[in-house]
Structures are given as C-alpha cells and as structure tokens.
Amino acid sequence: MPEAVVQSSMRPLMASDNGALNAIYATSTGPSLDFLMRLYRQPTTRAWIQESASVTLGAAWFSVYDASAELIDLSISPAYRRQGWGMKLLQTSLDLLESESVSICHLEVRRSNCAAIALYQRTNFRIVGERANYYRSQDGREDAILMRRESSEYGECL
Ligand SMILES: CC(C)(COP(=O)(O)OP(=O)(O)OC[C@H]1O[C@@H](n2cnc3c(N)ncnc32)[C@H](O)[C@@H]1OP(=O)(O)O)[C@@H](O)C(=O)NCCC(=O)NCCS
C-alpha cells in the first residue's frame, strides 16, 4: 500500500529531482522525462513539483512566451491519482504564472485522456480545436484536443 498523504506543498522543480521523477514517468505515454529535463534547461521553462515530506506526488511543466504559456506535461504518480493533487498542482501553477503576467495557457491532450480533459475543464480550460490523427496510439493514430484558458474570461475568480 502506498503511504497516505494528507498534506503536500509545491516548489520549483530542480535538476536533482530527476531520480524521484523516474518512477512517475516510467509508464508515461506523454513526453519522456529525458525530453522534459532537456526542456527544463531552457529559460522559457517553468516547472513545479508537488510533494509531501517523503513522497514526490507529481510535476507540471510549462513553456512561457510573453503573456502566453503552454502546458507541456502534468503527471501525478499513479498511486496518488484521484486525490486532488493534480488539480492543486495545476491550479497553483496557473496562479503563479498569472503573477508573472501570463494570462493565456494552451495545451494539447489525447482525445482518449478523459481524466486529463475533465481536470482541465474543472480548471477553466475550454476546447478550442482539434488536430486529427496527431498522436501515435496503440490502434494507429489518435486526435489531439486543443484547449485554452484565458484569465480575462474568469476575472476575479483566478
Ligand atoms: C490527469 C492527471 C494529472 C489527473 O491527476 P489527479 O491528481 O488524478 O487529478 P485530481 O485528483 O486532482 O482530479 C481533479 C478532477 O479531475 C477530474 N478527473 C481526474 N481524474 C479523473 C478520472 N480518472 N476520470 C474522470 N475524471 C477525472 C475530476 O473532475 C476530478 O475531480 P473529482 O475527483 O472531484 O471528480 C493524472 O490522471 C495523470 O497523471 N495522468 C497521466 C498523465 C497525463 O495523462 N497527463 C496529462 C497530459 S496532457
């Protein structure tokens, strides 16, 4: 049984987090940890970790260009999913980006990724388009759903 976590906090990701993140990304169908750590070295990358005293719960990675950000990846450790940590990490990241004057966030997600799409809709992303057959999948190809969140659409609620 995984250790129960009732309290956690978020901090900027560090290069030394690579080891702790390995387990989370070992089975990921999204970007590899190698790719994300290379991206991490770019000055336009913002990345945060959600952790408790003893467990790394997940990570969120963004590329920022002026007032606009792209969510590159958000992953929560499989043992700690559906406990609110993904929403907490995403919402706090978006708040921090907004404090850097980032008012728009974009992302792409596989059409079959109902968990992520539901989470993004809960955090005020809306679907703005799709790219047919964009991702490789077990059955061949899969569409990407394009989502966008703009702070002016939510005013004081952010
Ligand atoms: C997507 C992901 C980050 C969600 O993280 P999480 O910590 O499990 O999500 P939360 O517990 O914070 O869920 C918040 C809300 O999102 C939605 N949600 C999350 N997981 C869901 C699921 N499996 N099915 C349906 N809705 C789900 C629900 O609305 C949920 O609120 P609720 O629990 O009150 O119903 C996680 O499933 C994950 O790491 N998946 C693999 C990586 C991935 O696909 N990342 C997205 C790349 S674009």
Side-chain angles (χ1 to χ4, degrees), residues 2 20 23-25 55-59 75-83 85:
I24 296 178
Y25 282 92
V55 180
T56 301
L57 296 166
S75 287
I76 296 295
S77 172
Y80 292 95
R81 288 182 192 160
R82 214 62 202 265
Q83 297 173 32
W85 302 123

Side-chain angles (χ1 to χ4, degrees), residues 91-104:
Q91 186 62 63
T92 314
S93 307
L94 292 167
D95 290 346
L96 282 175
L97 288 171
E98 190 170 62
S99 71
E100 272 192 58
S101 302
V102 173
S103 55
I104 295 171

Side-chain angles (χ1 to χ4, degrees), residues 87-141:
M87 180 118 112
K88 194 174 175 68
L89 175 57
L90 179 58
Q91 186 62 63
T92 314
S93 307
L94 292 167
D95 290 346
L96 282 175
L97 288 171
E98 190 170 62
S99 71
E100 272 192 58
S101 302
V102 173
S103 55
I104 295 171
C105 189
H106 303 269
L107 62 83
E108 291 161 7
V109 56
R110 287 173 187 269
R111 185 186 289 285
S112 62
N113 196 343
C114 300
I117 292 170
L119 168 58
Y120 298 142
Q121 286 178 321
R122 288 276 305 272
T123 45
N124 291 329
F125 282 86
R126 61 189 172 81
I127 295 173
V128 291
E130 59 182 65
R131 288 201 182 102
N133 302 319
Y134 184 72
Y135 294 109
R136 263 196 216 105
S137 73
Q138 279 181 338
D139 309 328
R141 306 294 300 181

